[in-house]
Short mmCIF file of all heavy atoms in Angstrom, two decimals:
data_model
loop_
_atom_site.label_atom_id
_atom_site.label_comp_id
_atom_site.label_asym_id
_atom_site.label_seq_id
_atom_site.Cartn_x
_atom_site.Cartn_y
_atom_site.Cartn_z
N PHE B 429 38.64 -2.94 22.53
CA PHE B 429 39.97 -2.94 23.15
C PHE B 429 39.90 -2.81 24.66
O PHE B 429 40.56 -3.54 25.37
CB PHE B 429 40.85 -1.80 22.53
CG PHE B 429 42.23 -1.82 23.00
CD1 PHE B 429 43.11 -2.80 22.55
CD2 PHE B 429 42.69 -0.86 23.87
CE1 PHE B 429 44.39 -2.81 23.00
CE2 PHE B 429 44.00 -0.88 24.31
CZ PHE B 429 44.85 -1.86 23.86
N VAL B 433 41.23 -4.95 27.85
CA VAL B 433 42.04 -4.42 28.95
C VAL B 433 41.44 -4.80 30.29
O VAL B 433 42.14 -5.19 31.24
CB VAL B 433 42.17 -2.86 28.81
CG1 VAL B 433 42.71 -2.22 30.05
CG2 VAL B 433 43.02 -2.53 27.60
N VAL B 497 44.96 3.55 35.26
CA VAL B 497 45.16 2.98 33.96
C VAL B 497 44.16 3.75 33.06
O VAL B 497 42.97 3.74 33.28
CB VAL B 497 44.86 1.51 33.90
CG1 VAL B 497 45.02 1.02 32.45
CG2 VAL B 497 45.76 0.78 34.84
N VAL B 498 44.67 4.44 32.03
CA VAL B 498 43.82 5.17 31.12
C VAL B 498 44.02 4.64 29.73
O VAL B 498 45.14 4.45 29.27
CB VAL B 498 44.15 6.67 31.15
CG1 VAL B 498 43.32 7.41 30.14
CG2 VAL B 498 43.89 7.24 32.53
N ASP B 502 43.41 3.22 21.45
CA ASP B 502 43.98 1.94 21.86
C ASP B 502 45.37 2.11 22.49
O ASP B 502 46.22 1.24 22.30
CB ASP B 502 44.06 0.98 20.63
CG ASP B 502 44.74 1.66 19.46
OD1 ASP B 502 45.13 2.83 19.60
OD2 ASP B 502 44.89 0.97 18.41
N CYS B 503 45.57 3.23 23.11
CA CYS B 503 46.79 3.41 23.89
C CYS B 503 46.53 3.27 25.33
O CYS B 503 45.67 3.96 25.89
CB CYS B 503 47.32 4.84 23.65
SG CYS B 503 47.82 5.17 22.01
N ILE B 504 47.34 2.44 25.95
CA ILE B 504 47.19 2.27 27.39
C ILE B 504 48.29 3.14 28.06
O ILE B 504 49.45 3.01 27.69
CB ILE B 504 47.40 0.82 27.77
CG1 ILE B 504 46.53 -0.10 26.95
CG2 ILE B 504 47.12 0.61 29.28
CD1 ILE B 504 46.72 -1.53 27.25
N SER B 505 47.88 3.90 29.05
CA SER B 505 48.88 4.65 29.82
C SER B 505 48.67 4.35 31.27
O SER B 505 47.53 4.29 31.73
CB SER B 505 48.82 6.12 29.50
OG SER B 505 47.62 6.64 30.01
N VAL B 506 49.75 4.15 31.97
CA VAL B 506 49.67 3.84 33.41
C VAL B 506 50.27 5.02 34.16
O VAL B 506 51.36 5.47 33.78
CB VAL B 506 50.44 2.56 33.71
CG1 VAL B 506 50.40 2.24 35.20
CG2 VAL B 506 49.90 1.43 32.91
N LYS B 530 54.20 8.68 34.62
CA LYS B 530 53.20 8.19 33.66
C LYS B 530 53.92 7.55 32.50
O LYS B 530 54.87 8.12 32.01
CB LYS B 530 52.41 9.40 33.15
CG LYS B 530 51.20 9.02 32.35
CD LYS B 530 50.34 10.27 32.12
CE LYS B 530 49.18 9.91 31.21
NZ LYS B 530 48.40 11.08 30.91
N TYR B 531 53.49 6.37 32.12
CA TYR B 531 54.17 5.72 31.01
C TYR B 531 53.16 4.87 30.30
O TYR B 531 52.07 4.58 30.79
CB TYR B 531 55.36 4.91 31.51
CG TYR B 531 55.01 3.93 32.59
CD1 TYR B 531 54.70 2.58 32.31
CD2 TYR B 531 54.99 4.33 33.93
CE1 TYR B 531 54.37 1.70 33.29
CE2 TYR B 531 54.66 3.44 34.96
CZ TYR B 531 54.36 2.12 34.61
OH TYR B 531 54.05 1.24 35.60
N GLU B 532 53.56 4.42 29.15
CA GLU B 532 52.62 3.63 28.33
C GLU B 532 53.06 2.19 28.24
O GLU B 532 54.22 1.85 28.53
CB GLU B 532 52.58 4.19 26.89
CG GLU B 532 52.02 5.62 26.87
CD GLU B 532 51.93 6.13 25.46
OE1 GLU B 532 52.30 5.40 24.54
OE2 GLU B 532 51.39 7.23 25.36
N CYS B 533 52.10 1.35 27.92
CA CYS B 533 52.47 -0.05 27.77
C CYS B 533 51.55 -0.72 26.84
O CYS B 533 50.57 -0.13 26.37
CB CYS B 533 52.45 -0.75 29.15
SG CYS B 533 50.79 -1.20 29.73
N ASP B 534 51.84 -1.98 26.53
CA ASP B 534 50.97 -2.77 25.58
C ASP B 534 50.04 -3.59 26.35
O ASP B 534 50.16 -3.80 27.54
CB ASP B 534 51.89 -3.71 24.79
CG ASP B 534 52.76 -2.96 23.81
OD1 ASP B 534 52.33 -1.85 23.43
OD2 ASP B 534 53.79 -3.55 23.43
N LEU B 535 49.06 -4.08 25.62
CA LEU B 535 48.05 -4.97 26.28
C LEU B 535 48.67 -6.23 26.82
O LEU B 535 48.34 -6.68 27.95
CB LEU B 535 46.98 -5.28 25.25
CG LEU B 535 45.80 -6.10 25.77
CD1 LEU B 535 45.09 -5.35 26.87
CD2 LEU B 535 44.88 -6.47 24.61
N ALA B 536 49.59 -6.77 26.07
CA ALA B 536 50.14 -8.06 26.48
C ALA B 536 50.98 -7.90 27.78
O ALA B 536 51.05 -8.79 28.58
CB ALA B 536 50.99 -8.65 25.39
N ASP B 537 51.62 -6.76 27.88
CA ASP B 537 52.47 -6.54 29.04
C ASP B 537 51.72 -6.00 30.25
O ASP B 537 52.29 -5.81 31.32
CB ASP B 537 53.56 -5.51 28.69
CG ASP B 537 54.45 -5.98 27.57
OD1 ASP B 537 54.54 -7.25 27.43
OD2 ASP B 537 54.98 -5.16 26.82
N LEU B 538 50.47 -5.65 30.02
CA LEU B 538 49.74 -4.97 31.07
C LEU B 538 49.76 -5.67 32.41
O LEU B 538 50.00 -5.07 33.45
CB LEU B 538 48.31 -4.64 30.63
CG LEU B 538 47.54 -3.77 31.56
CD1 LEU B 538 48.18 -2.41 31.67
CD2 LEU B 538 46.06 -3.62 31.04
N PRO B 539 49.45 -6.96 32.48
CA PRO B 539 49.42 -7.64 33.81
C PRO B 539 50.73 -7.49 34.55
O PRO B 539 50.77 -7.16 35.74
CB PRO B 539 49.09 -9.08 33.50
CG PRO B 539 48.50 -9.07 32.18
CD PRO B 539 49.11 -7.92 31.44
N VAL B 540 51.79 -7.74 33.81
CA VAL B 540 53.13 -7.68 34.46
C VAL B 540 53.43 -6.26 34.94
O VAL B 540 53.92 -6.07 36.02
CB VAL B 540 54.22 -8.17 33.47
CG1 VAL B 540 55.57 -8.07 34.05
CG2 VAL B 540 53.90 -9.58 33.04
N ILE B 541 53.13 -5.34 34.09
CA ILE B 541 53.39 -3.95 34.45
C ILE B 541 52.60 -3.56 35.70
O ILE B 541 53.18 -2.95 36.65
CB ILE B 541 52.99 -2.98 33.29
CG1 ILE B 541 53.86 -3.28 32.09
CG2 ILE B 541 53.09 -1.56 33.71
CD1 ILE B 541 55.23 -2.72 32.14
N ILE B 542 51.37 -3.96 35.74
CA ILE B 542 50.57 -3.61 36.93
C ILE B 542 51.13 -4.28 38.19
O ILE B 542 51.27 -3.62 39.25
CB ILE B 542 49.08 -4.03 36.71
CG1 ILE B 542 48.50 -3.24 35.57
CG2 ILE B 542 48.32 -3.87 37.97
CD1 ILE B 542 48.29 -1.81 35.86
#
Side-chain angles (χ1 to χ4, degrees):
Chain B
F429 185 71
V433 167
V497 179
V498 175
D502 54 359
C503 292
I504 309 176
S505 68
V506 179
K530 191 169 175 184
Y531 53 95
E532 295 184 357
C533 78
D534 290 336
L535 182 62
D537 300 333
L538 187 63
V540 177
I541 296 283
I542 296 290

